Amino acid sequence: MRADQAGGASSPPAAGGAWYRPMVARPPGERHRSATALELFFDLCFVVAVAQAGSGLHHLVTADHVGDGVLGYATVFFAIWWAWMNFTWFASAYDTDDIAYRLTTLVQIAGALILAAGVPDAMDGANFAVVTAGYVVMRLAMVTQWLRAAAGDPPHRRSSMRFAAGIAAVQVGWVLRLLLPEKLAMAGFAVLVAAELAVPIWAERAAPTTWHPRHIAERYSLFTLIVLGESVLAATLAIQTALDADAAFVDLATTAAGGLLTVFGMWWLYFAKEAHELLTSLRAGIVWGYGHYLVFASAAAVGAGLAVNVDAVTHHAEIGPGPAAAAFTVPVALFLLAVWALQVRPHHLGRWHGAVVPAAAVLVLASTLGPEPILVTGLLVAAMIATSLATLRRSAGL
């Protein structure tokens, strides 16, 4: 069944009522479908891992270990994002909200917290055992959910069994990867990432699951809000630490103002259009969903980049002004381009409007080597939003 087809008239499960309900596919056209309290709690617990990854990126870049910081951040964030994403799409299709479902989800949350505890060691390249353990806990809990779906939803049994088998097999690979010599560890990581990404594509070919477009769009937008909020928090804590060390606020004013304008503009761009209108097929959902790795990872990295620049302004960083500026401008540009590709360009708003965001991303990157790059970036992002609004107003004849 296509994701945009209207579903049956079955009503959503009552909140937390029964011990166990048959796990049947929920209709993709279900009315009044929104994020549940359990899903919101799930997101808030996952943001602990996001915060740990951002903090690790901040400290490694500040210490002039840029390559290690970026690589460690990218690998750890994949684990966070992929586990979150798999739960989100499964819940859209099969959330029963019975006690068995809630307990399994709480096990996944526990896995996320184990992963978060292992992030510092993993980003230093010292030990991936704890991160792997937390990740495997989350993923094996997901296997039990798919087995429930296979038992309760015969029309989608083949796809559910493929999900369960594929996820379980890849988890064996993640555990065996810990035994690889250091020189082969990254190659093993790349192979396993490809396998993880392939499992949903392979499984959905058997019998596409009935996810809810509006629910999926809401879940992604809520996580985007949380990640943007984490960026604001990271920058605020960095400024507070600098002020506690007797730094003058006037030295931080342009960094704070530029960072605030940038985050405001990022929020505005992401929520400019309704995303659910784009989720019209399985192919569109996979491209949009997978593409959000760049959206989430770059948004969280913006906070780390702001913190790096606070350290640079207060002379607590071991890197020069150019690399410090790039720690902020590069993730901002990546966020702009990712959101443009996923949520702006597909709406076909016209040639000039479609060119505004990529042009702003290029100018943001160019500002890296200029004076006051953080403030300039904020002004460029604000100008991008203003130009987009003016273009839309003109095209509407207002």
Side-chain angles (χ1 to χ4, degrees):
M1 180 183 291
R2 285 168 54 90
D4 56 340
Q5 289 177 327
S10 60
S11 59
W19 280 92
Y20 188 90
R21 294 188 182 90
M23 188 170 272
V24 297
R26 295 181 65 161
E30 183 181 311
R31 293 184 178 182
H32 310 299
R33 182 73 190 278
S34 60
T36 66
L38 181 60
E39 288 175 317
L40 298 177
F41 183 50
F42 187 89
D43 290 357
L44 288 174
C45 291
F46 258 68
V47 83
V48 175
V50 173
Q52 287 281 61
S55 176
L57 178 63
H58 163 212
H59 292 301
L60 286 170
V61 173
T62 299
D64 201 16
H65 299 298
V66 178
D68 292 339
V70 172
L71 185 61
Y73 178 78
T75 55
V76 167
F77 203 93
F78 172 82
I80 300 167
W81 163 75
W82 189 244
W84 177 89
M85 177 173 157
N86 276 247
F87 167 78
T88 296
W89 288 78
F90 178 87
S92 190
Y94 288 110
D95 184 356
T96 56
D97 199 30
D98 57 19
I99 291 175
Y101 178 86
R102 287 186 171 195
L103 290 175
T104 307
T105 302
L106 293 177
V107 170
Q108 291 178 267
I109 291 174
L113 298 178
I114 294 170
L115 185 150
V119 165
D121 282 345
M123 291 199 62
D124 287 336
N127 189 351
F128 281 87
V130 177
V131 163
T132 301
Y135 182 75
V136 170
V137 167
M138 290 187 288
R139 303 298 281 139
L140 291 182
M142 201 72 253
V143 170
T144 67
Q145 297 280 44
W146 281 114
L147 291 175
R148 276 194 66 187
D153 186 24
H156 297 92
R157 181 168 294 153
R158 286 185 61 206
S159 59
S160 297
M161 290 303 297
R162 285 189 178 189
F163 269 111
I167 294 170
V170 178
Q171 301 325 295
V172 175
W174 285 116
V175 174
L176 294 177
R177 176 182 173 270
L178 296 175
L179 305 177
L180 291 176
E182 187 176 347
K183 292 182 179 180
L184 297 177
M186 191 48 61
F189 178 85
V191 170
L192 290 167
V193 165
E196 289 276 22
L197 295 175
V199 167
I201 299 172
W202 170 62
E204 290 283 353
R205 287 179 177 175
T209 52
T210 57
W211 42 272
H212 194 291
R214 285 184 179 272
H215 177 248
I216 288 292
E218 181 190 20
R219 295 288 289 112
Y220 273 71
S221 66
L222 290 172
F223 201 70
T224 300
L225 285 174
I226 290 175
V227 174
L228 287 174
E230 175 57 36
S231 286
V232 173
L233 176 61
T236 301
L237 291 177
I239 292 173
Q240 179 184 345
T241 301
L243 293 174
D244 289 342
D246 296 327
F249 182 75
V250 65
D251 295 333
L252 303 170
T254 56
T255 299
L260 201 59
L261 282 173
T262 301
V263 174
F264 285 172
M266 291 166 63
W267 169 83
W268 199 300
L269 178 66
Y270 187 88
F271 291 95
K273 288 291 179 180
E274 292 285 350
H276 72 271
E277 298 173 357
L278 305 174
L279 304 180
T280 56
S281 67
L282 174 62
R283 178 187 177 91
I286 287 176
V287 172
W288 186 86
Y290 283 21
H292 267 72
Y293 170 79
L294 285 176
V295 175
F296 294 155
S298 59
V302 167
L306 274 171
V308 168
N309 279 272
V310 170
D311 289 344
V313 169
T314 56
H315 309 292
H316 290 95
E318 298 179 26
I319 58 173
F328 179 75
T329 58
V330 170
V332 170
L334 282 175
F335 180 90
L336 298 182
L337 290 174
V339 175
W340 170 77
L342 296 173
Q343 297 196 175
V344 176
R345 186 180 61 84
H347 279 285
H348 304 294
L349 299 174
R351 180 187 304 175
W352 294 110
H353 184 270
V356 170
V357 179
V362 171
L363 291 175
V364 165
L365 288 175
S367 71
T368 303
L369 301 178
E372 299 291 349
I374 311 303
L375 179 60
V376 170
T377 294
L379 294 173
L380 286 170
V381 172
M384 173 196 73
I385 297 299
T387 303
S388 297
L389 292 174
T391 304
L392 287 175
R393 182 180 177 85
R394 181 177 301 176
S395 63
L398 300 177

